[in-house]
Amino acid sequence: IAGGLVADTPGMEFFTLWGVTPENLKDHFLDFVDLAGGCRFRNCSHVLEAHCAVRGHVAESRYRNYLEILEKLRQQREVFGR
């Protein structure tokens, strides 16, 4: 992989994004941040809220990735309490 790094970590059970929580994940998707000003609610998670300016206005694959990461972060919180 050009310019990339590979880590060989025997026994590693999971990968996490340090400092990223289910609540602030949306702030790490910069294309979401640009659109979020149009959401009705300031704390919109872009999942179920009415009048969300992000949902339906970003690439479907990008939004699907967001939902998958969000679910994994929620599962990690349930298992590890963080």
Side-chain angles (χ1 to χ4, degrees):
I1 301 174
L5 300 172
V6 176
D8 182 12
T9 56
M12 185 172 175
E13 295 183 23
F14 68 94
F15 174 79
T16 190
L17 301 169
W18 291 103
V20 180
T21 66
E23 294 78 21
N24 73 16
L25 175 65
K26 64 185 183 291
D27 301 329
H28 296 276
F29 279 70
L30 300 182
D31 46 339
F32 286 26
V33 173
D34 293 340
L35 295 169
C39 292
R40 175 183 237 172
F41 303 105
R42 271 189 16 191
N43 64 343
C44 184
S45 68
H46 315 306
V47 179
L48 298 173
E49 297 85 355
H51 306 285
C52 175
V54 173
R55 193 175 59 248
H57 295 93
V58 295
E60 185 178 331
S61 61
R62 183 86 169 133
Y63 185 69
R64 195 170 41 248
N65 287 339
Y66 169 75
L67 293 178
E68 288 175 13
I69 295 170
L70 182 62
E71 181 58 28
K72 288 178 183 180
L73 288 170
R74 288 175 174 164
Q75 289 172 357
Q76 283 181 353
R77 177 174 281 167
E78 287 177 17
V79 173
F80 298 108
R82 352 177 180 153

